[in-house]
């Protein structure tokens, strides 16, 4: 489509959700585009809870190239896609749609790669050969299990308040690696890396686990992020753990989507620094 910049044609992308005003995806992808000299437009799309398909139909009919998908539409996008990557299929959810050369839409899930790249590449924490504990057995966990297992941890244990959900998830992924599962009160040993993917973090709480699950020199990662440390990270810090929140995962999964669309992998760190500063400024402004 014409962008108003002479005759330059701008490929069109967007993020769809409900609500959508809070999304930082346009800021992230526009920064990626500037860095990599890609000509594209990136906007926000709102859809009613039962209105995903008509909005997306119209978006791609107008010549769009790709779409990010946020809550509550990841299952809708899973059903909408013409084909799926393995990580999307195992996750049971799609957060990225990419138009292929044959006109078909590929559904992908970049959450897991975003998590792994943030932990392994940006933070420099090891996953391979490590004892990994994932807290929670919902969609956030399901979306990251295959990429984590592909890193070949020594073991991967899922713990959830309702133990049966963790056990079922471990059974679902048994073909991809060795997993174990339990309730939060039956976690079997100390771990090198503990990832909080539980719903507790969304409400400012933390999973109720014993401090003994944190091994010596362990790392604690919370998928939730904010201007201040989360409840889980505040709990882990006195246990001498290295800590990080999920802002890097947010930027990392966006970078993976950008690469899927454009074939260019953008730098994560400059955008992450920009978002971190914006969060700090927001808190400071609210305190004035």
């Amino acid at each position: 489509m014409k962008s108003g910049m002479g005759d330059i044609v701008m490929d069109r992308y967007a993020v769809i959700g409900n609500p959508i005003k809070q999304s930082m995806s346009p800021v992230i992808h526009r920064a990626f585009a500037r860095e990599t000299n890609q000509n594209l437009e990136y906007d926000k799309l709102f859809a009613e809870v039962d209105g995903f398909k008509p909005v997306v139909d119209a978006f791609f009919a107008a010549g769009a190239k790709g779409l990010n998908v946020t809550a509550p539409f990841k299952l809708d996008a899973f059903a909408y896609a013409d084909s799926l990557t393995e990580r999307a299929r195992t996750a049971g959810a799609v957060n990225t749609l990419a138009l292929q050369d044959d006109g078909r839409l590929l559904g992908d899930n970049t959450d897991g790669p975003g998590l792994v790249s943030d932990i392994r590449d940006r933070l420099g924490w090891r996953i391979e050969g490590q004892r990994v504990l994932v807290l929670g057995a919902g969609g956030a966990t399901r979306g990251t299990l295959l990429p984590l297992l592909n890193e070949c941890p020594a073991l991967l244990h899922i713990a959830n308040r309702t133990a049966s959900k963790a056990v079922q998830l471990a059974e679902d992924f048994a073909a991809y690696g060795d997993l174990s599962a339990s309730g939060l009160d039956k976690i079997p040993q100390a771990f090198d890396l503990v990832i909080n993917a539980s719903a507790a973090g969304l409400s400012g709480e933390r999973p109720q686990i014993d401090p003994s699950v944190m091994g010596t020199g362990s790392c604690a990662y919370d998928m939730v992020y904010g201007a201040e440390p989360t409840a889980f990270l505040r709990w882990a810090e006195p246990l001498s753990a290295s800590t990080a929140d999920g802002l890097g995962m947010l930027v990392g999964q966006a970078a993976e989507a950008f690469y899927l669309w454009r074939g260019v992998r953008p730098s994560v760190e400059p955008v992450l620094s920009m978002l971190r500063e914006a969060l700090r400024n927001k808190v400071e402004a609210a305190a004035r």
Side-chain angles (χ1 to χ4, degrees):
M1 63 183 297
K2 297 294 179 67
S3 67
M5 298 171 58
D7 292 324
I8 296 176
V9 177
M10 305 285 277
D11 291 335
R12 188 180 176 200
Y13 300 87
V15 58
I16 187 170
N18 181 344
I20 196 60
K21 288 182 179 179
Q22 82 291 349
S23 176
M24 291 190 284
S25 291
V27 173
I28 295 171
H29 284 280
R30 289 167 189 167
F32 287 162
R34 287 192 298 271
E35 179 209 333
T36 58
N37 296 313
Q38 297 289 303
N39 292 319
L40 60 86
E41 291 182 344
Y42 193 104
D43 302 302
K44 299 177 185 179
L45 295 178
F46 174 85
E48 298 295 343
V49 173
D50 60 352
F52 176 83
K53 187 178 185 301
V55 173
V56 178
D57 282 347
F59 181 66
F60 282 105
K65 300 292 186 180
L67 185 66
N68 285 138
V69 183
T70 189
F73 297 124
K74 293 184 180 183
L75 297 181
D76 297 88
F78 182 86
Y80 190 90
D82 297 310
S83 60
L84 299 166
T85 63
E86 185 180 25
R87 61 197 186 195
R89 182 175 54 78
T90 57
V94 160
N95 75 343
T96 304
L97 291 168
L99 185 68
Q100 305 298 285
D101 291 339
D102 61 4
R104 291 164 60 83
L105 284 172
L106 175 68
D108 197 2
N109 191 309
T110 64
D111 287 335
L115 172 69
V116 167
S117 66
D118 194 41
I119 291 174
R120 182 194 62 203
D121 302 331
R122 188 182 71 85
L123 295 170
W125 298 353
R126 286 184 59 206
I127 302 175
E128 182 180 3
Q130 300 297 286
R131 299 163 297 173
V132 178
L133 170 64
V134 181
L135 303 171
T141 296
R142 179 175 284 275
T144 56
L145 282 181
L146 182 59
L148 284 171
L149 288 168
N150 285 342
E151 293 299 304
C152 302
L155 64 92
L156 195 155
H157 186 84
I158 306 166
N160 190 58
R161 186 174 58 181
T162 304
S164 60
K165 292 183 179 180
V167 171
Q168 182 61 59
L169 199 51
E171 292 176 354
D172 291 347
F173 281 81
Y176 299 96
D178 293 328
L179 298 95
S180 54
S182 71
L184 295 177
D185 58 343
K186 297 285 178 61
I187 299 173
Q189 58 185 292
F191 289 83
D192 305 303
L193 171 62
V194 180
I195 301 170
N196 181 29
S198 70
L202 297 175
S203 56
E205 301 175 355
R206 68 168 180 86
Q208 296 303 305
I209 56 175
D210 193 273
S212 64
V213 306
M214 305 296 294
T216 303
S218 60
C219 299
Y221 190 98
D222 199 335
M223 289 190 188
V224 175
Y225 62 88
E228 303 293 338
T230 66
F232 173 68
L233 297 184
R234 291 197 303 271
W235 170 83
E237 284 170 355
L239 304 176
S240 299
S242 300
T243 61
D245 70 11
L247 190 62
M249 176 182 173
L250 173 72
V251 181
Q253 65 82 24
E256 188 71 17
F258 193 90
Y259 177 73
L260 179 68
W261 291 332
R262 310 299 295 181
V264 178
R265 194 172 293 279
S267 302
V268 168
E269 198 62 51
V271 179
L272 181 59
S273 298
M274 176 182 67
L275 295 181
R276 190 71 73 187
E277 182 178 3
L279 285 172
R280 285 195 297 266
N281 291 341
K282 185 176 180 180
V283 169
E284 290 172 2
R288 292 191 189 110

